């Protein structure tokens, strides 16, 4: 990908029940202005191994109708002063294993299940926000799985919204000086792992089955 910038990029199988793999690779960086999405189609694998550089607030999206499909970002991601929104509407449908750097917030959209993994820590300056929305009288939350081999996955403030869950699949996933704020119904699940943070704020009393230590 030689210095290409796109407003949007869409992946879709030719048939709804066709298994399809897509790969974007290269030594250069792909600029993204608005959207990368995986639309309707079954069992699609999209692998982005080149670098990504945001040219605006951009969304990575796996559609609800893209059954058993997955978007994997293996290359580095530079916020470049913009927010990155992750919107995976099926379980574990978005995985980011490349290093996330630059300045900007990482936002997990309601209804999403997202994993941050990889061998190297994220270095971006900004918040990680697990967001919520109201739907038919219910609060729809998000799930974020933190699985960095060498943390932290979350280098700054972590905001866990109502009915949202952040899970540690390994120890030391949140920066030692980070502020963690948990809204009513939110959970920070250590799952037997240890971590150290700067401060913890709970709104409305205890909100999870495990608390940060």
């Amino acid at each position: 990908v030689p210095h290409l910038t796109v407003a949007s990029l869409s992946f879709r199988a030719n048939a709804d029940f066709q298994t399809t793999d897509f790969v974007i690779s290269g030594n250069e960086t792909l600029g993204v202005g608005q959207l990368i999405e995986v639309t309707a189609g079954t069992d699609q694998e999209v692998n982005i191994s080149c670098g990504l550089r945001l040219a605006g607030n951009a969304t990575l999206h796996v559609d609800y109708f893209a059954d058993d499909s997955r978007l994997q970002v293996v290359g580095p991601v530079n916020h470049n002063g913009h927010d990155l929104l992750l919107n995976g509407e099926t379980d574990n449908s978005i995985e980011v294993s490349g290093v996330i750097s630059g300045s900007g917030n990482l936002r997990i959209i309601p209804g999403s299940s997202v994993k941050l993994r990889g061998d190297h820590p994220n270095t971006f300056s900004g918040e990680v926000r697990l967001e919520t929305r109201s739907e038919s009288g219910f609060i729809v939350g998000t799930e974020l799985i933190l699985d960095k081999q060498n943390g932290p996955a979350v280098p700054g403030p972590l905001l866990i919204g109502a009915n949202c869950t952040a899970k540690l699949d390994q120890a030391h996933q949140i920066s030692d000086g980070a502020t963690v704020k948990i809204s009513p119904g939110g959970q920070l699940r250590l799952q037997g792992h240890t971590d150290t943070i700067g401060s913890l704020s709970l709104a409305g009393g205890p909100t999870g089955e495990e608390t940060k230590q």
Side-chain angles (χ1 to χ4, degrees):
V1 182
H3 303 293
L4 176 67
T5 298
V6 298
S8 62
L9 182 61
S10 181
F11 300 91
R12 177 171 178 161
N14 290 329
D16 287 344
F17 299 101
Q18 177 178 347
T19 299
T20 306
D21 293 340
F22 299 94
V23 177
I24 298 180
S25 62
N27 295 323
E28 303 296 338
T29 298
L30 174 65
V32 181
Q34 297 177 1
L35 176 69
I36 295 178
E37 66 174 345
V38 181
T39 60
T42 300
D43 201 21
Q44 300 177 78
E45 289 279 348
V46 177
N47 186 300
I48 301 176
S49 59
C50 67
L52 295 180
R53 184 175 186 269
L54 304 191
N57 292 341
T59 300
L60 305 183
H61 178 218
V62 177
D63 190 87
Y64 176 80
F65 295 102
D67 295 335
D68 297 320
S69 294
R70 187 166 59 168
L71 172 61
Q72 299 183 79
V73 180
V74 180
V77 180
N78 186 343
H79 275 280
N80 191 35
H82 303 289
D83 287 359
L84 176 62
L85 289 71
L86 303 181
N87 186 5
E89 297 185 35
T90 57
D91 288 346
N92 298 318
S93 57
I94 296 180
E95 290 189 0
V96 181
S97 58
V99 173
I100 306 174
S101 64
S103 176
N105 299 312
L106 182 63
R107 299 168 52 193
I108 316 301
I109 299 304
S112 298
S113 178
V114 171
K115 178 179 281 191
L116 302 181
R117 54 187 297 268
D119 296 331
H120 303 288
N122 292 326
T123 62
F124 68 94
S125 59
E127 299 174 342
V128 175
R129 302 175 184 170
L130 279 63
E131 301 185 354
T132 64
R133 71 168 181 265
S134 179
E135 186 174 290
S136 301
F138 295 95
I139 300 297
V140 178
T142 63
E143 179 183 73
L144 175 63
I145 301 169
L146 305 175
D147 190 25
K148 282 283 187 183
Q149 294 287 335
N150 297 291
V154 178
L158 174 61
L159 310 181
I160 302 175
N163 290 1
C164 296
T165 302
K167 298 179 180 179
L168 273 65
D169 272 7
Q170 298 197 57
H172 307 301
Q173 296 298 302
I174 305 170
S175 174
D176 288 357
T179 297
V180 177
K181 297 182 179 180
I182 305 178
S183 296
Q187 296 186 49
L188 175 61
R189 301 184 64 179
L190 301 180
Q191 304 194 125
H193 303 292
T194 61
D195 215 323
T196 300
I197 62 172
S199 64
L200 176 63
S201 174
L202 301 177
T207 57
E209 61 184 14
E210 296 177 288
T211 58
K212 195 68 173 172
Q213 297 181 354

